[in-house]
Amino acid sequence: VVSAGCVAWMKMKEIFSLFVILSLAVLNGHAAQPAWVHFNSAHTLVYSNDDLGNHLPDFSFAGYEGGGVAIPTSVPVKQTLNPMSGDNTAQIQSAINFVSALTPDANGFRGAVLLNPGVYQIAGTLTIKSNGVVLRGSGDDINTGTVLQVTGDARTVLTVTGAGSWSKTGSTYTITDGYVPLGATNFHINSSSPGFAVGSTIVIQRPWTQPWIDAIGMSNYWSPASGLEMERTVTAISGNQITIDIPLVNPIESQWTTGEVYQVTDTRRIEKVGVENLCAVGQIADYPGNILTGVFATFNNVKNSWARDIFLSGWGNGISLGGGSKCCTVQDCIYTNPATGTASAAPAAWTIS
């Protein structure tokens, strides 16, 4: 009989041995090129297909403005605050509300709320629900920068949220391919004249069906559901073939499910919101018992937004990109000194829902 501890130790030895082998190969300049993705002679990534056409998706489209676009650094300051004695929640929220009411500039930004250096006690909650608003501190150094000192019980402290995510419009079409591989950027539907055009936003849906759930041995845990919903932009239409901007991150197999396609609008999302350059220190009264409740900041129903240069200390959950978030970046943030608790699962520094 081999105990769980022995299995874990043997697995650790295997991982360590593999690490040593790979490290030696790199040091000797003879690192093996992986079969799935590798560099060619021009130092460009080349992706290889398996027999079904599956290949690793290109994730360079993730993040602000779909990747490859720098986060803005010059959003103008419209309100400047200094720390006050006692709870600072109301004065910060008032400044956020003031900027939220301003007219966006040509780049879609209303302006920034600048928090001068110092300690700002936060006993309540903050909300940003308008486009083009940036909450900016004066540094993420806990000794010299802007420190949000959060007290009280566990909760979501800062919420960035729109009124909703995408909404379906028009007809639903079915995918007619027998197999749409992982990483694909085109597929066929049951219409050569769909009600959407190049530039339209669509959702490609891969429903969870009972036969598929049974096939992967999850019938005791899962039930049929809407499954994966992948939001994409149409880049070309040729007959009944649809080409999209971003690769699919899951195969769609007619053996197990029927893929669906429909146009959506996302006018209820907000965009171009930033939280940056500050420290957030959690001094939460009901930790550890309530350690999985709440989060410092959550982004819901928002696109083309960011959190950067944030120092998080003393938290359970840190920053969450929640439902309806799209093309958002968390950059150069530090999660340290996490709160400890008694829950069966550890809290998450970063969450993508």
Side-chain angles (χ1 to χ4, degrees), residues 298-311:
T298 185
F299 290 69
N300 299 320
N301 301 319
V302 57
K303 64 182 181 181
N304 299 326
S305 298
W306 70 88
R308 67 172 168 194
D309 297 316
I310 298 176
F311 180 88

Side-chain angles (χ1 to χ4, degrees), residues 64-65 69-78 99-113 128 130-136 270-276 303-306 308:
Y64 181 75
E65 293 286 359
V69 178
I71 296 173
T73 58
S74 57
V75 177
V77 174
K78 299 297 183 179
V99 174
S100 298
L102 298 177
T103 301
D105 63 17
N107 297 314
F109 289 101
R110 303 174 193 269
V113 175
I128 300 174
S130 296
N131 296 321
V133 178
V134 176
L135 179 63
R136 178 185 300 153
I270 61 171
E271 64 178 327
K272 298 188 175 180
V273 177
V275 181
E276 60 187 25
K303 64 182 181 181
N304 299 326
S305 298
W306 70 88
R308 67 172 168 194

Side-chain angles (χ1 to χ4, degrees), residues 22-107:
L22 291 176
S23 298
L24 290 173
V26 170
L27 288 174
N28 290 321
H30 299 293
Q33 290 278 19
W36 280 95
V37 58
H38 60 275
F39 289 104
N40 61 16
S41 59
H43 301 289
T44 300
L45 286 177
V46 177
Y47 295 84
S48 300
N49 294 347
D50 68 4
D51 293 341
L52 293 173
N54 297 302
H55 62 267
L56 293 178
D58 178 359
F59 286 100
S60 65
F61 297 94
Y64 181 75
E65 293 286 359
V69 178
I71 296 173
T73 58
S74 57
V75 177
V77 174
K78 299 297 183 179
Q79 288 275 279
T80 302
L81 302 179
N82 293 302
M84 56 180 285
S85 177
D87 183 15
N88 284 254
T89 306
Q91 77 148 340
I92 296 176
Q93 187 63 59
S94 178
I96 291 171
N97 294 345
F98 175 86
V99 174
S100 298
L102 298 177
T103 301
D105 63 17
N107 297 314

Side-chain angles (χ1 to χ4, degrees), residues 76-204:
V77 174
K78 299 297 183 179
Q79 288 275 279
T80 302
L81 302 179
N82 293 302
M84 56 180 285
S85 177
D87 183 15
N88 284 254
T89 306
Q91 77 148 340
I92 296 176
Q93 187 63 59
S94 178
I96 291 171
N97 294 345
F98 175 86
V99 174
S100 298
L102 298 177
T103 301
D105 63 17
N107 297 314
F109 289 101
R110 303 174 193 269
V113 175
L114 176 64
L115 306 179
N116 278 334
V119 178
Y120 297 74
Q121 182 179 340
I122 306 295
T125 59
L126 300 168
T127 303
I128 300 174
K129 53 185 179 181
S130 296
N131 296 321
V133 178
V134 176
L135 179 63
R136 178 185 300 153
S138 297
D140 60 354
D141 187 301
I142 200 166
N143 297 309
T144 62
T146 296
V147 179
L148 303 184
Q149 188 178 78
V150 179
T151 60
D153 289 344
R155 62 197 183 278
T156 299
V157 178
L158 172 61
T159 300
V160 178
T161 185
S165 182
W166 51 261
S167 299
K168 179 181 175 182
T169 179
S171 301
T172 298
Y173 305 92
T174 58
I175 291 177
T176 58
D177 301 84
Y179 188 90
V180 181
L182 172 69
T185 54
N186 61 72
F187 48 84
H188 298 83
I189 61 173
N190 64 336
S191 174
S192 58
S193 56
F196 51 78
V198 171
S200 297
T201 302
I202 60 173
V203 164
I204 300 96

